[in-house]
């Protein structure tokens, strides 16, 4: 039984709770509960009307059962009845039950709202508070509809009791969060802001939460709150600890209100009024000074409350980021906390310093604490504190200390908790790349990473090292030598084998001069790992072997023998078997020249953001990587030619397909296994992979498609030009792949800031036609006056499509934000392969495509010159073969081609019949896919 | 530098025992019952697994958890990323002080048997996840007034009489 039973003890409830506690098993408990539920149900259904007390007791029992985790499906009506009781405790229990158990779409909401309405107009402050609490607890849209206009009135009315004002303020806040559209402050705004001046501290404490939230949404309307908040803060900060009576908490005056005031100020820039600003700086200095004073109490509550204010003040200082003196003082204060005996303070100091590290004023000051932070990483007993230390090291890293920090993080990794290893690996990989001055250090670091924490090295990390090695010829020899040495270890991680296989396959020749790493030694070393590896790694090794045959003809016999053995050529895994068969065949029938072309060294990867950074951001959420850091990496990312997300194997093979369109390129057949193909197919949508996710296009800019149609029959030219900006395009297409270079030229003499481009696909493309895979590298955020920057888009056509992707460009010119959306001239005809055929073949095919929907026809007026040479140039530009001597009428033009998509090939025949006298054309298209006929017909009708 | 989305709004508060029994739950954001149960299960497990000297804060999903143990009970609050951990720790302490003052050296049993009171006190102190009244006197005054407001003698008598039927 309880030690005390205050007020309205309900004996029956206490007995029931005791019973439940005495249950020896879960089954017994359920049995007891079911018995009670049956009892309550019969009472509620019984003929005898229950008195208020019994109703209250049973409703309370139901609540208790619900809070134990059981479902309750009755009793709501009885609870609603309690609301209209004029006995306070009955009403109170009714409201409690409703707050906990009624969800917003309940049918009872109308009855509940009625009861609330009565209580709100009762002028009885305790009843009003109960009703307001209930609204704040349920906070449903229906309640907002019913009360959003009433509550502001209660809040600012002169005769409202303080306690009711407090509840009204927070109740309104809750409704504003649920339904901002229904809470209109309008005429009340100024009176609400002036609650900051209220004499009652409790009213200020409650009102400020509301004001802060409203200020975030409507900063201009509420901006008078800044000076009021500063003067209130100033009065609190300078008050003696006894001035505020019960609002002083362990000798700290009004800590909650102080924190809220400092938080409110963080919604605004520093005050413009010099006097207000001076007063605020004084407050902040006083808060920092107080941190140095001896504590007024040894209680932890005293120091917590004091430091809560201090940390909030530091947040404000960081938010302003304009007072170097305060920033450095803040940093020194946090530096002291780094060695504090309270774990909580060490944790918070590490966390807060992370944000200080990204301010230019305090970055250097943060760096002076490097030894303490490294020590924390090594000695803290709580993993969450170590995690903060690792975060801070990452944030304070720059060129000057990168080697030390990376070394420390690597050595920490050996013993790090499993929970944070993956993130640590990503961080080390990013820092190593970002601050690499010599790339041999970078290669060493990543290989160490694989050695120490191979299991946690995600694909992005090892893809990235390969991309960088391929793009930088000064490090290739070193990389080959280092992986060769690393592979000597008797047990090395599979990721090491992958990197080793790839790099030796590309650059093994650079170390082949040394007899200790002769071609055969290299091959034997790699092959000794083969049998221990998983299928994807084996597949990669097979590709390395065929590359060896090209690099070192003397290994051909040995490797062919390996490929020929049953375990390869008859491997049960389709992918491995296919590679073995194809490579064997390729090596035996292709001439050295063909082999050299097919197995040429991989071309450099297009520059783009590190995929590792993207992964870290995804893992940690946007807050994890501070803003400046992101910008840094964008700026510095350019120095390292990074590759795409797709991983070297698939991306490289795709690239080689594109650059060597020889028939044997198909023979490699590796693309079939490439994950790239699989992902979009299942996603069923147009994939656009830009720097960040392709956000929705800013609605302000109408799509400009003037330039679009001019590019149907040509690939290069100026897509767009205005007084500020010129956008040029160069593009090339091979089979179903394309690459588009976009050139952004700043025509002014002023810098463009925050220059971002986003490529996206309009809804329809995404919903049913799966068409392209675009990948781009982000452009630099700053474009100097007169400068031109370049962006590359890789395009893969997966199936046919009609819509065009959109390019959105945003930048700041002077103060104004420019926003522009263009249609990118990627049209289905870009993927044409011309097909030559004889007259009879043509007409035979023509007849085969005779279903009505396969044909699209249009008769239209000539818009341009009907000159033969011009027309021929256009038709050739279309991408098809222009067939002579096919049509019996020599005036007519016929063309044939095959559109190459990833999934299928679409044969297309075209006939254009000019009528010079009428200045008209008749255009007929027949394609094996009807959507293609229609689309081509639409596109071409505008061209002639 | 930041985009601020909250002003100390607490997402939820849980009280649970060392054995992992939930004693009080207060949710300030709308969640389904299923989600609530899932969160509770996960958090109770996470917090109970921590050692005594560890830091009172931890990152959990995209929230921060602030917790403190008082005797056999853990008080555990979820706040948003930008919120102030220390002041939340003192919110917990102030709530404990309120319970303590009201019940007179509060223990777990008081909260079990008078759970409704624990909710009422919390509602006077925090509303919608924000501090409503931080003065201990004012909160207790509100609660005690309510206690005095009603109970007439005959109700007390009634409760004694009905005990018999309740226990059957």
């Amino acid at each position: 039984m309880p030690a005390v039973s205050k007020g309205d003890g309900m004996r029956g409830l206490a007995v029931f709770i005791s019973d439940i506690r005495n249950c020896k098993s879960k089954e017994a408990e359920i049995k007891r509960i079911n018995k009670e539920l049956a009892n309550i149900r019969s009472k509620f259904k019984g003929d005898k009307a229950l008195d208020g007390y019994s109703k209250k007791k049973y409703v309370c029992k139901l609540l208790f059962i619900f809070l134990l985790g059981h479902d309750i499906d009755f009793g709501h009506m009885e609870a609603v009845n309690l609301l209209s009781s004029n006995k306070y405790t009955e009403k109170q229990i009714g409201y409690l039950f409703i707050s906990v158990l009624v969800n917003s779409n309940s049918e009872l909401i109308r009855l509940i709202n009625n009861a609330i309405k009565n209580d709100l107009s009762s002028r009885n402050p305790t009843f009003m508070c109960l009703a307001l609490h209930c609204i704040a607890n349920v906070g449903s849209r229906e309640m907002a509809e019913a009360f959003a206009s009433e509550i502001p009135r209660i809040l600012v009315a002169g005769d409202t009791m303080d306690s009711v004002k407090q509840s009204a303020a927070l109740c309104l806040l809750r409704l504003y969060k649920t339904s901002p559209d229904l809470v209109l402050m309008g005429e009340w705004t100024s009176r609400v802001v002036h609650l900051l001046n209220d004499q009652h501290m409790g009213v200020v404490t409650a009102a400020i939460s509301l004001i802060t939230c409203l200020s975030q949404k409507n900063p201009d309307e509420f901006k008078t709150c800044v000076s009021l908040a500063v003067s209130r803060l100033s009065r609190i900060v300078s008050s003696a600890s006894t001035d505020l009576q019960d609002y002083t908490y362990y000798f700290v005056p009004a800590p909650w209100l102080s924190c809220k005031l400092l938080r409110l100020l963080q919604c605004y820039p520093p005050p413009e009024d010099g006097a207000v600003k001076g007063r605020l700086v004084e407050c902040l200095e006083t808060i920092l000074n107080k941190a140095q004073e001896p504590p007024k109490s040894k209680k932890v509550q005293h120091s917590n409350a004091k430091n809560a204010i201090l940390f909030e003040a530091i947040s404000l200082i960081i938010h302003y980021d304009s007072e170097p003196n305060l920033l450095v003082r803040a940093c020194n204060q946090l530096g002291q906390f780094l060695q504090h005996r309270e774990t909580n303070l060490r944790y918070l100091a590490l966390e807060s310093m992370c944000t200080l590290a990204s301010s230019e004023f305090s970055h250097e000051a943060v760096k002076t604490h490097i030894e303490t932070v490294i020590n924390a990483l090594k000695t803290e007993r709580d993993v969450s504190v170590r995690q903060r230390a690792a975060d801070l090291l990452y944030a304070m890293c720059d060129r000057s200390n990168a080697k030390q920090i990376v070394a420390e993080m690597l050595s920490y990794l050996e013993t790090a908790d499993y929970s944070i290893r993956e993130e640590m690996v990503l961080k080390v990989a990013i820092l190593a790349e970002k601050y690499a001055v010599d790339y041999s250090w970078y290669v060493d670091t990543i290989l160490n990473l694989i050695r120490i924490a191979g299991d946690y090295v995600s694909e992005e990390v090892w893809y990235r090292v390969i991309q960088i090695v391929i793009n930088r010829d000064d490090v290739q020899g070193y990389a080959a030598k280092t992986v060769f040495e690393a592979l000597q270890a008797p047990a090395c991680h599979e990721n090491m084998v992958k990197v080793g296989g790839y790099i030796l396959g590309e650059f093994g020749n650079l170390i082949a001069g040394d007899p200790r790493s002769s071609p055969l030694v290299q091959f034997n070393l790699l092959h000794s790992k083969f049998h221990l590896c998983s299928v994807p790694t084996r597949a990669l090794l097979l590709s390395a072997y065929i590359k060896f045959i090209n690099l070192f003809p003397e290994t051909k016999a040995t490797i062919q023998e390996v490929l020929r053995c049953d375990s390869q050529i008859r491997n049960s895994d389709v992918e491995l078997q296919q590679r073995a068969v194809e490579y064997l065949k390729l090596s035996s029938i292709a001439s050295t020249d063909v082999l050299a072309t097919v197995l040429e060294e991989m071309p450099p990867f297009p520059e783009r953001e590190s995929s590792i950074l993207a992964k870290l951001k995804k893992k940690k959420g946007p807050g994890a990587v501070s803003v400046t850091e992101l910008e840094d990496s964008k700026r510095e990312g350019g120095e390292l030619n990074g590759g795409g997300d797709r991983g070297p194997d698939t991306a490289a093979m795709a690239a080689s397909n594109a650059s060597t369109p020889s028939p044997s390129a198909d023979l490699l057949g590796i693309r079939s296994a490439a994950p790239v193909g699989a992902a979009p197919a299942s996603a069923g949508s147009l994939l656009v992979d830009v720097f960040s996710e392709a956000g929705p296009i800013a609605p302000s800019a109408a799509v400009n498609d003037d330039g679009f149609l001019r590019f149907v029959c040509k690939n290069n030219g100026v897509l767009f030009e205005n007084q500020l900006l010129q956008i040029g395009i160069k593009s090339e297409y091979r089979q179903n792949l394309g690459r588009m270079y976009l050139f952004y030229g700043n025509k002014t003499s002023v810098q463009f800031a925050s220059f971002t481009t986003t490529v996206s696909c309009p809804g329809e493309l995404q919903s049913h036609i799966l068409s392209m895979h675009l990948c781009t590298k982000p452009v630099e955020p700053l474009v100097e006056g007169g400068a031109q920057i370049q962006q590359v888009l890789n395009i893969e056509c997966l199936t046919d499509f009609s819509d065009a992707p959109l390019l959105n460009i945003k930048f700041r010119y002077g103060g104004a934000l420019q926003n522009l959306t263009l249609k990118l001239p990627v049209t289905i005809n870009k993927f044409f392969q011309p097909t030559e055929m004889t007259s009879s073949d043509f007409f035979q095919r023509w007849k085969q495509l005779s279903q009505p929907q396969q044909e699209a026809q249009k008769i239209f007026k000539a818009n341009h010159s009907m000159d033969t040479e011009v027309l021929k140039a256009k038709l050739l530009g279309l991408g098809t073969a222009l067939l002579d001597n096919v049509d019996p009428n020599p005036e007519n033009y016929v063309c044939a081609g095959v559109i190459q998509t990833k999934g299928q090939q679409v044969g297309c025949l075209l006939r254009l019949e000019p009528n010079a006298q009428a200045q008209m054309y008749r255009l007929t298209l027949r394609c094996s896919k009807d959507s293609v006929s229609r689309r081509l017909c639409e596109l071409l009708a505008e061209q002639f | 530098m930041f985009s601020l989305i909250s002003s100390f709004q607490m997402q939820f508060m849980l009280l649970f025992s060392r054995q992992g029994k939930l004693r009080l739950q207060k949710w300030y954001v709308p969640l389904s019952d299923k989600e609530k149960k899932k969160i509770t299960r996960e958090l109770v497990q996470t917090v109970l697994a921590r050692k005594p000297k560890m830091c009172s804060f931890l990152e959990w999903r995209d929230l921060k958890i602030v917790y403190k143990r008082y005797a056999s009970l853990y008080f555990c609050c979820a706040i948003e990323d930008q919120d102030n951990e220390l002041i939340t720790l003192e919110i917990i302490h102030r709530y404990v002080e309120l319970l303590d003052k009201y019940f007179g050296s509060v223990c777990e049993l008081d909260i079990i048997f008078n759970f409704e009171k624990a909710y009422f006190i919390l509602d006077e102190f925090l509303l919608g996840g924000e501090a409503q009244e931080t003065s201990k006197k004012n909160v207790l005054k509100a609660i005690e007034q309510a206690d005095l407001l009603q109970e007439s003698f005959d109700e007390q008598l009634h409760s004694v009489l009905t005990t018999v039927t309740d226990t059957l």
Side-chain angles (χ1 to χ4, degrees):
Chain A
M1 291 300 287
V4 284
S5 179
K6 284 253 186 176
D8 61 327
M10 285 173 277
R11 289 289 302 278
L13 176 67
V15 171
F16 175 58
I17 295 174
S18 290
D19 281 1
I20 295 289
R21 286 177 54 73
N22 292 333
C23 286
K24 296 276 184 290
S25 64
K26 194 79 195 160
E27 290 70 37
E29 182 184 310
I30 291 173
K31 210 173 148 206
R32 178 68 185 88
I33 285 169
N34 285 337
K35 186 183 149 202
E36 192 64 38
L37 286 175
N39 173 39
I40 297 172
R41 210 177 298 232
S42 72
K43 286 283 192 305
F44 284 166
K45 278 193 182 151
D47 311 328
K48 211 173 72 185
L50 287 175
D51 61 14
Y53 171 80
S54 309
K55 236 185 248 174
K56 177 181 83 171
K57 183 183 66 189
Y58 292 129
V59 164
C60 213
K61 281 183 181 177
L62 286 178
L63 191 54
F64 181 79
I65 293 170
F66 177 79
L67 290 170
L68 280 178
H70 301 269
D71 292 334
I72 294 295
D73 55 4
F74 69 102
H76 301 70
M77 202 54 201
E78 285 72 14
V80 173
N81 286 342
L82 285 177
L83 297 184
S84 46
S85 160
N86 46 22
K87 292 212 174 72
Y88 183 78
T89 52
E90 287 170 16
K91 204 186 261 299
Q92 202 182 20
I93 294 291
Y95 274 125
L96 179 62
F97 183 92
I98 296 214
S99 303
V100 174
L101 259 140
V102 171
N103 48 24
S104 58
N105 51 17
S106 164
E107 294 161 14
L108 293 172
I109 212 87
R110 225 166 27 86
L111 292 174
I112 296 169
N113 280 356
N114 254 339
I116 291 177
K117 195 164 279 167
N118 289 336
D119 282 335
L120 281 184
S121 52
S122 69
R123 310 198 127 262
N124 173 338
T126 43
F127 285 9
M128 287 173 87
C129 280
L130 275 185
L132 290 168
H133 291 179
C134 180
I135 301 175
N137 281 326
V138 177
S140 66
R141 174 123 193 127
E142 290 83 350
M143 287 194 174
E145 278 163 1
F147 304 110
S149 55
E150 173 67 14
I151 295 171
R153 220 183 302 275
I154 298 176
L155 176 60
V156 298
D159 59 347
T160 306
M161 299 267 296
D162 290 330
S163 60
V164 178
K165 274 190 195 169
Q166 286 166 275
S167 300
L170 292 175
C171 183
L172 198 56
L173 171 59
R174 174 67 194 259
L175 292 186
Y176 184 75
K177 284 182 178 166
T178 325
S179 319
D181 54 316
L182 295 177
V183 179
L184 303 169
M185 296 314 292
E187 50 185 316
W188 311 116
T189 303
S190 134
R191 293 170 76 179
V192 170
V193 171
H194 276 85
L195 289 173
L196 286 176
N197 267 342
D198 201 284
Q199 289 182 327
H200 191 282
M201 293 283 275
V203 172
V204 190
T205 307
I208 194 170
S209 298
L210 173 67
I211 295 168
T212 305
C213 182
L214 292 169
S215 298
Q216 284 164 13
K217 300 282 159 53
N218 327 283
D220 287 341
E221 289 164 46
F222 282 82
K223 65 170 179 275
T224 47
C225 71
V226 172
S227 59
L228 291 177
V230 170
S231 60
R232 190 94 213 192
L233 180 69
S234 166
R235 268 180 283 158
I236 296 173
V237 167
S238 57
S239 64
S241 54
T242 49
D243 289 356
L244 303 174
Q245 295 157 355
D246 208 36
Y247 289 92
T248 294
Y249 179 81
Y250 292 86
F251 304 101
V252 181
W256 285 280
L257 181 54
S258 303
C259 285
K260 285 185 178 198
L261 286 162
L262 288 161
R263 174 55 55 106
L264 170 61
L265 291 170
Q266 289 172 60
C267 303
Y268 289 92
E272 281 159 20
D273 182 329
V276 177
K277 185 164 182 197
R279 209 164 169 199
L280 177 56
V281 170
E282 221 170 82
C283 288
L284 294 172
E285 278 170 348
T286 312
I287 294 170
L288 285 167
N289 291 341
K290 280 189 179 172
Q292 296 300 322
E293 288 170 10
K296 292 196 175 69
S297 153
K298 286 202 171 110
K299 287 252 165 66
V300 68
Q301 283 76 26
H302 171 70
S303 71
N304 278 351
K306 197 164 119 179
N307 292 327
I309 300 173
L310 177 63
F311 276 104
E312 208 56 58
I314 291 176
S315 292
L316 182 62
I317 293 169
I318 296 173
H319 168 74
Y320 287 163
D321 198 21
S322 60
E323 301 282 329
N325 172 38
L326 290 176
L327 281 162
V328 171
R329 281 194 69 184
C331 185
N332 293 339
Q333 181 60 54
L334 295 177
Q336 288 181 16
F337 285 156
L338 287 182
Q339 315 214 37
H340 202 279
R341 62 189 165 75
E342 276 274 327
T343 314
N344 288 347
L345 281 181
R346 295 197 304 274
Y347 176 97
L348 294 174
L350 289 165
E351 182 181 69
S352 190
M353 260 201 188
C354 263
T355 41
L356 272 179
S358 55
S359 162
E360 53 172 320
F361 300 114
S362 48
H363 184 77
E364 288 304 315
V366 171
K367 273 167 63 185
T368 60
H369 299 286
I370 185 166
E371 296 301 334
T372 318
V373 182
I374 287 172
N375 195 43
L377 186 65
K378 286 178 178 162
T379 58
E380 282 289 351
R381 278 188 294 175
D382 184 346
V383 54
S384 45
V385 185
R386 291 198 297 273
Q387 168 93 60
R388 289 285 83 82
D391 286 349
L392 179 53
L393 283 179
Y394 179 75
M396 67 162 70
C397 191
D398 62 18
R399 237 172 252 293
S400 70
N401 56 19
K403 283 201 175 173
Q404 185 189 8
I405 287 179
V406 166
E408 291 295 347
M409 285 174 112
L410 269 178
S411 80
Y412 173 61
L413 250 181
E414 307 216 25
T415 53
D417 293 76
Y418 295 113
S419 57
I420 64 172
R421 279 195 182 185
E422 192 187 349
E423 198 186 313
M424 290 286 293
V425 166
L426 290 174
K427 286 184 165 165
V428 170
I430 289 167
L431 292 179
E433 178 184 335
K434 194 166 159 190
Y435 298 115
V437 183
D438 66 292
Y439 283 85
S440 47
W441 174 70
Y442 170 75
V443 170
D444 285 342
T445 305
I446 301 296
L447 293 185
N448 267 327
L449 210 50
I450 296 176
R451 208 176 2 243
I452 294 169
D455 282 345
Y456 298 89
V457 171
S458 58
E459 294 202 318
E460 285 85 353
V461 174
W462 73 263
Y463 287 177
R464 190 69 182 158
V465 67
I466 285 171
Q467 288 160 4
I468 285 171
V469 169
I470 285 185
N471 287 11
R472 299 201 59 100
D473 30 17
D474 53 337
V475 77
Q476 289 160 356
Y478 181 81
K481 180 166 163 289
T482 322
V483 287
F484 179 77
E485 281 161 11
L487 287 172
Q488 305 285 340
C492 60
H493 195 274
E494 191 165 333
N495 281 335
M496 190 71 88
V497 180
K498 289 179 185 164
V499 175
Y502 202 97
I503 288 183
L504 292 180
E506 292 294 322
F507 308 114
N509 55 328
L510 299 176
I511 55 167
D514 187 329
R516 284 165 302 176
S517 52
S518 71
L520 265 179
V521 175
Q522 287 184 37
F523 171 73
N524 286 333
L525 180 62
L526 279 180
H527 198 53
S528 69
K529 315 283 181 195
F530 188 91
H531 304 280
L532 301 169
C533 291
S534 64
V535 168
T537 308
R538 290 190 196 186
L540 186 148
L541 285 177
L542 289 178
S543 299
Y545 296 170
I546 185 78
K547 288 248 169 184
F548 265 49
I549 292 184
N550 178 44
L551 288 180
F552 317 117
E554 67 266 39
T555 59
K556 183 169 169 176
T558 318
I559 291 175
Q560 280 185 333
E561 205 172 304
V562 168
L563 293 174
R564 201 176 288 125
C565 76
D566 277 357
S567 63
Q568 310 293 359
I569 211 162
R570 293 188 208 286
N571 194 296
S572 60
D573 184 90
V574 173
E575 178 63 29
L576 291 180
Q577 188 188 100
Q578 188 179 355
R579 286 195 189 205
V581 171
E582 288 178 358
Y583 292 162
L584 186 60
K585 204 73 186 161
L586 177 67
S587 66
S588 31
I589 61 169
S591 69
T592 345
D593 283 352
V594 170
L595 215 53
T597 316
V598 174
L599 302 170
E600 201 178 15
E601 191 183 304
M602 288 301 166
F605 287 86
E607 292 181 22
R608 56 166 299 160
E609 185 208 14
S610 161
S611 44
I612 310 176
L613 195 60
K615 167 137 180 164
L616 184 69
K617 273 185 281 177
K618 208 157 131 194
K619 202 172 153 51
K620 291 280 281 181
V625 193
S626 71
V627 180
T628 46
E629 222 174 326
L630 286 181
E631 281 166 2
D632 268 351
S633 69
K634 265 195 259 171
R635 253 177 266 132
E636 300 188 21
E639 293 168 19
L640 301 172
N641 294 336
D645 257 338
R646 303 199 275 166
D649 194 23
T650 54
M653 290 305 177
S656 71
N657 266 358
S659 57
T660 55
S662 64
S664 53
D666 279 342
L667 198 76
L668 284 171
I670 290 162
R671 292 178 43 72
S672 63
V676 198
S682 60
S685 67
L686 176 60
L687 291 186
V688 178
D689 169 12
V690 201
F691 165 55
S692 56
E693 283 91 325
I697 295 159
S700 58
V703 177
N704 177 326
D705 60 359
D706 293 347
F708 175 77
L709 286 171
R710 285 186 286 113
F711 285 82
V712 171
C713 295
K714 66 175 184 176
N715 287 335
N716 305 329
V718 175
L719 177 65
F720 173 83
E721 184 158 19
N722 65 12
Q723 285 170 333
L724 305 178
L725 177 72
Q726 185 192 57
I727 303 172
I729 282 190
K730 268 175 83 171
S731 46
E732 44 184 315
Y733 295 89
R734 290 220 168 80
Q735 304 199 346
N736 70 325
L737 301 171
R739 181 170 291 177
M740 180 179 278
Y741 296 87
L742 290 158
F743 302 88
Y744 304 95
N746 181 345
K747 291 170 66 182
T748 70
S749 53
V750 182
Q751 186 186 61
F752 291 164
S754 325
F755 193 90
T756 56
T757 64
T758 323
V759 177
S760 62
C761 294
E764 212 185 279
L765 257 188
Q766 298 202 336
S767 63
H768 64 113
I769 308 169
L770 161 74
S771 50
M772 293 176 300
H773 182 91
L774 295 170
C775 64
T776 62
K777 178 205 163 287
V779 290
E780 305 291 318
L782 294 178
V783 186
E784 297 300 336
Q788 187 185 63
I789 55 164
Q790 184 186 346
Q791 186 179 30
V792 187
L793 263 83
N794 288 327
I795 301 160
E796 185 177 5
C797 176
L798 300 168
T799 77
D800 71 292
F801 60 96
S802 324
D803 270 334
L806 299 176
L807 171 69
N808 176 253
I809 300 142
K810 284 203 192 83
F811 58 94
R812 282 191 179 278
Y813 168 71
L817 183 69
Q818 307 287 324
N819 188 353
L820 178 72
T821 303
L822 302 171
K823 261 192 187 176
L824 273 181
V826 180
T827 46
I828 185 68
N829 64 293
K830 300 295 179 196
F831 304 96
F832 257 133
Q833 292 282 108
T835 316
E836 293 293 343
M837 52 177 80
T838 63
S839 175
S840 60
D841 284 345
F842 182 88
F843 283 106
Q844 193 188 345
R845 284 288 293 148
W846 186 264
K847 280 179 202 133
Q848 280 166 0
L849 298 169
S850 59
Q851 289 171 32
Q853 63 273 28
Q854 287 175 327
E855 183 183 278
Q857 191 173 70
K858 213 164 194 169
I859 298 167
F860 55 92
K861 212 164 170 56
N863 287 318
H864 303 279
S865 158
M866 291 182 80
D867 176 63
T868 317
E869 286 317 306
V870 175
L871 285 179
K872 277 187 178 169
K874 282 185 179 169
L875 289 168
L876 284 171
L878 183 65
T880 50
L882 182 57
L883 306 176
D884 287 327
N885 306 321
V886 170
D887 202 295
N889 180 351
E891 298 296 320
N892 294 347
Y893 302 88
V894 291
C895 304
V898 175
I899 288 176
Q900 305 277 344
T901 72
K902 179 157 179 58
Q904 65 180 137
Q905 301 191 328
V906 182
C908 305
L909 302 175
L910 175 156
R911 192 180 196 197
L912 182 68
E913 302 162 81
N915 179 338
Q917 269 132 16
Q919 289 284 304
M920 297 285 281
Y921 291 103
R922 179 163 73 182
L923 173 70
T924 315
L925 274 142
R926 287 192 178 183
C927 305
S928 55
K929 197 165 179 186
D930 38 5
S931 55
V932 176
S933 305
R934 281 199 305 276
R935 179 62 183 156
L936 283 173
C937 194
E938 282 165 27
L939 284 172
L940 287 172
E942 308 288 337
Q943 299 300 317
F944 300 101
Chain B
M1 275 173 104
F2 306 118
S3 66
L4 294 168
I5 39 162
S6 70
S7 50
F8 298 143
Q9 199 212 321
M10 193 182 286
Q11 310 281 301
F12 55 84
M13 184 193 255
L14 302 176
L15 261 70
F16 51 88
S17 69
R18 272 167 68 195
Q19 289 75 35
K21 287 246 187 221
L22 190 59
R23 296 303 180 202
L24 182 139
Q25 44 177 322
K26 188 79 189 179
W27 305 86
Y28 295 112
V29 282
L31 290 168
S32 69
D33 284 347
K34 205 174 141 204
E35 183 69 7
K36 287 177 189 172
K37 281 185 184 164
K38 187 161 169 261
I39 290 175
T40 308
R41 212 170 33 240
E42 259 180 58
L43 259 187
V44 168
Q45 224 172 22
T46 311
V47 170
L48 287 180
R50 290 177 63 85
K51 297 189 189 78
K53 282 282 171 190
M54 282 186 165
C55 152
S56 311
F57 320 125
L58 55 122
E59 285 187 345
W60 183 80
R61 299 194 186 175
D62 53 347
L63 298 173
K64 283 194 292 206
I65 302 298
V66 176
Y67 73 93
K68 189 162 180 177
R69 186 179 148 185
Y70 288 86
S72 60
L73 274 185
Y74 283 86
F75 289 69
C76 174
C77 296
I79 56 175
E80 281 177 301
D81 187 47
Q82 302 293 334
D83 284 347
N84 191 314
E85 294 95 337
L86 284 175
I87 207 75
T88 309
L89 208 49
E90 294 319 300
I91 284 204
I92 292 177
H93 187 74
R94 169 91 335 159
Y95 182 48
V96 173
E97 285 184 343
L98 288 167
L99 293 172
D100 202 56
K101 192 92 180 166
Y102 180 79
F103 289 107
S105 342
V106 66
C107 66
E108 193 183 338
L109 283 179
D110 293 323
I111 296 173
I112 296 172
F113 281 96
N114 301 283
F115 67 96
E116 80 282 9
K117 293 287 181 216
Y119 278 96
F120 298 148
I121 294 170
L122 188 58
D123 268 356
E124 290 294 335
F125 174 41
L126 294 180
L127 190 59
E130 306 270 351
Q132 174 175 222
E133 177 54 85
T134 60
S135 152
K136 195 156 55 172
K137 273 188 204 144
N138 290 352
V139 173
L140 291 172
K141 205 162 68 192
I143 292 290
E144 267 153 17
Q145 259 176 1
D147 278 344
L148 293 172
L149 207 63
Q150 286 301 325
E151 301 314 314
S152 59
F153 175 69
D154 55 355
E155 283 227 40
Q156 295 283 358
L157 186 70
H158 185 109
S159 86
V160 174
L161 291 176
T162 47
T163 310
V164 188
T165 44
D166 271 349
T167 46
L168 287 177

